[in-house]
Amino acid sequence: RFYGRQNRPLPGRTVMGGLRITGAGVVRQKMTMVGVRAHQLIDQWLEIAGQVIEKEARLNAPIDTGDLEKAIVHDKTSPKTMSVYVDPDKLDLESRDGYDYSIKMHEDTDYKLGPLSQRKADLMPDRMVGAKYLERAIKDNEKELRAEAAKILKELARL
């Protein structure tokens, strides 16, 4: 409503160019709540994405001693970034003279699966065990992760 010029605003009201706006505090509070909820939902989606990709990468990874599977982890590396990676501190590098074989296992598409990896592949015929285990975990689950993101966007739109 327009009330003409006022020089001092009343408590809980804002005056702009002669226009008194009532309820600005409520609007501001609601916008703050929406912002907080948006951050919560984004964090939730990042955690879901990290868990899904970690699980799938472990299923895709070749196996010898099992430490490569255990070394695949997810971690929120910044407020907007979830990383899924091989943690070299969890690899048994001592038995391999310090050689980080996880890179070779990921990048070398020509290596032959060992007996345990072959058995793992035989037990999961619909899944490729071996090279590009991290990349495939992302690519193979992209549709599902996009659907989760769409749910979050719909919830944000309702706020």
Side-chain angles (χ1 to χ4, degrees):
R1 294 187 249 164
F2 183 74
Y3 289 95
R5 290 248 182 244
Q6 279 192 313
N7 292 330
R8 81 187 143 89
L10 297 172
R13 296 185 174 107
T14 304
V15 176
M16 297 176 60
L19 181 65
R20 182 172 41 182
I21 301 170
T22 59
V26 174
V27 171
R28 188 179 304 119
Q29 183 180 18
K30 176 76 172 171
M31 290 176 73
T32 299
M33 289 173 30
V34 168
V36 168
R37 185 64 182 138
H39 284 287
Q40 290 171 341
L41 290 170
I42 290 167
D43 286 347
Q44 178 185 336
W45 182 82
L46 285 171
E47 182 60 31
I48 289 169
Q51 288 175 2
V52 166
I53 294 167
E54 176 185 314
K55 176 183 166 233
E56 294 296 314
R58 286 179 174 190
L59 291 170
N60 292 344
I63 184 170
D64 183 16
T65 63
D67 63 324
L68 176 57
E69 289 176 325
K70 293 174 191 163
I72 298 170
V73 296
H74 73 280
D75 188 25
K76 190 171 180 187
T77 52
S78 79
K80 297 179 184 175
T81 305
M82 178 65 70
S83 296
V84 180
Y85 59 97
V86 176
D87 183 348
D89 294 335
K90 295 186 178 192
L91 292 173
D92 179 19
L93 299 180
E94 289 179 23
S95 68
R96 292 177 174 82
D97 297 321
Y99 174 64
D100 183 352
Y101 59 93
S102 66
I103 297 168
K104 177 179 174 42
M105 297 291 103
H106 190 269
E107 298 301 322
D108 186 356
T109 57
D110 293 328
Y111 75 87
K112 301 287 184 235
L113 294 178
L116 291 176
S117 294
Q118 188 57 56
R119 175 144 171 74
K120 181 179 180 180
D122 291 343
L123 292 172
M124 299 183 291
D126 295 338
R127 179 179 301 275
M128 182 183 148
V129 173
K132 305 294 184 186
Y133 50 89
L134 287 168
E135 287 179 35
R136 287 185 290 108
I138 296 167
K139 185 177 179 184
D140 293 349
N141 291 283
E142 185 175 356
K143 186 176 181 180
E144 174 188 341
L145 294 173
R146 285 183 187 272
E148 283 295 321
K151 286 181 195 174
I152 288 171
L153 290 174
K154 284 180 184 175
E155 184 170 339
L156 284 174
R158 286 191 299 264
L159 294 178

